Amino acid sequence: MAVAVDKFDLLFDEIVRQFTSFSEAFAIVGAIYTTHKTFNIIHGCYRAIYVYGAPRLRGRPNLVSRYGRWALVTGCTDGIGKSYAQELASYGMNIILISRSSDKLLKCSEDLERQFGIETLTVTADFSQGRAIYTMIEQEIKDKEIGILVNNVGVMYYPENLHEMNMDRIFQLINVNVTAATVMSRIVLPQMVERGSGAIVNLSAATSIRPSPQLAVYTATKTYLDYLAQALQYEYADKGITVQSLMPCFVATKTSQYGGDVQSPGYFIPSASLYAKSALQTLGVTSRTTGYWPHQLQFYIVEMLPKSVWLWCTNIVNSAIKRKIKAGQQKKK
Ligand SMILES: NC(=O)c1ccc[n+]([C@@H]2O[C@H](COP(=O)([O-])OP(=O)(O)OC[C@H]3O[C@@H](n4cnc5c(N)ncnc54)[C@H](OP(=O)(O)O)[C@@H]3O)[C@@H](O)[C@H]2O)c1
């Protein structure tokens, strides 16, 4: 051996031989990686066509016979909830509207009845109050066959570090974003199980796939909703119940105006009505989706970003929003 390595040409040959086998190993790893990525892209394209294209071709399903006569939407006097209620009504479903402002509820109910010739039931409840409201809600809806529950109600806040957040605000956020969906699902599930049909939709958010510094509580509550939906889907699928996690990116509503700029709808930031129309078409087709295909593209990009890059970027954006809001507040003073 000593003779072999002492001779340069033999040593060189040996290195080249080793290198060739390393190259082969690298080539195999590269081929596996490329195949995996190619498969993911093809699978992603197939899923996009299946989820967003195929339902349009199949036409409008009969939601009443598939799920039940009534749909219940929480937080339904504005934004996505209001549009989701309108969309469900356009399929002939009666609507239970639960929100906190009686006057807005009355207006929504009258509009829905007039426009779609359906029945409505309104329940005024402030979900930030926690446990106190649910006995009343249960009583109000007890005779209704609830086919679809849309756990839409949710609140957002300006970027803030946790130690600066008001204590009451924290409890309100958790009550509205987490408790409402959990308890409302608990209330409607027994009748869905008994009938062997029904659907629950949780409004999570695309941002829930990554933590967001300075919006820590919001994104954590949305991740909770996503996980709740995924686990319930598994638990209740064999009982004929569909549970869907909807994870939108920006939709042009009050929530998405938290940075102070009024978002006008565009291709990547749809209006609430366009979003609701697209999202409802995915119900029964997929159990976890952004609900709108340009959002799906954004979702894939965020998923591909390394977590450290995402955390860094989000922190910078949220700090800038915070500074802008503080400057605006000081100007007003
Ligand atoms: N918009 C987005 O870009 C976006 C993105 C991802 C996820 N989401 C999620 O989608 C859901 C709907 O968002 P959105 O943008 O449509 O919201 P929005 O426009 O602010 O509307 C929220 C609705 O909930 C009601 N509400 C708020 N607090 C309530 C409470 N304590 N009790 C009862 N009702 C209450 C509001 O009633 P009032 O009319 O009386 O205020 C309103 O009807 C939320 O869960 C949100 O987190 C939104």
Side-chain angles (χ1 to χ4, degrees), residues 34-47 300:
T34 313
T35 312
H36 175 71
K37 283 284 167 200
T38 312
F39 176 78
N40 276 352
I41 291 168
I42 293 171
H43 184 249
C45 294
Y46 165 74
R47 289 284 306 161
Y300 286 140

Side-chain angles (χ1 to χ4, degrees), residues 19 61 72 95 103 113 175 178 186 189 193 224 262 311-312:
F19 185 71
L72 188 164
I95 310 289
D103 49 341
E113 289 184 4
N175 279 335
V178 170
R186 169 66 184 82
L189 271 167
V193 171
Y224 173 94
V262 175
L311 287 168
W312 185 75

Side-chain angles (χ1 to χ4, degrees), residues 146-255:
I146 296 164
I148 302 179
L149 164 67
V150 185
N151 285 316
N152 167 78
V153 73
V155 278
M156 175 78 156
Y157 55 96
Y158 300 141
E160 236 178 343
N161 296 105
L162 185 60
H163 75 276
E164 294 168 336
M165 279 181 82
N166 177 293
M167 277 291 189
D168 289 340
R169 183 90 184 111
I170 294 173
F171 280 99
Q172 282 171 3
L173 261 162
I174 294 171
N175 279 335
V176 177
N177 290 11
V178 170
T179 312
T182 316
V183 178
M184 289 308 301
S185 303
R186 169 66 184 82
I187 290 174
V188 304
L189 271 167
Q191 58 152 292
M192 288 183 176
V193 171
E194 203 180 307
R195 284 200 316 272
S197 70
I200 296 177
V201 180
N202 279 4
L203 257 295
S204 173
T207 50
S208 70
I209 56 163
R210 291 269 192 268
S212 290
Q214 304 185 59
L215 281 177
V217 182
Y218 178 75
T219 43
T221 61
K222 292 291 156 183
T223 307
Y224 173 94
L225 291 179
D226 178 36
Y227 271 46
L228 181 73
Q230 289 187 58
L232 292 182
Q233 166 63 20
Y234 194 85
E235 251 177 86
Y236 290 98
D238 64 350
K239 296 178 177 62
I241 298 164
T242 298
V243 186
Q244 186 188 48
S245 176
L246 262 190
M247 311 169 81
C249 301
F250 279 116
V251 178
T253 67
K254 279 188 304 188
T255 300

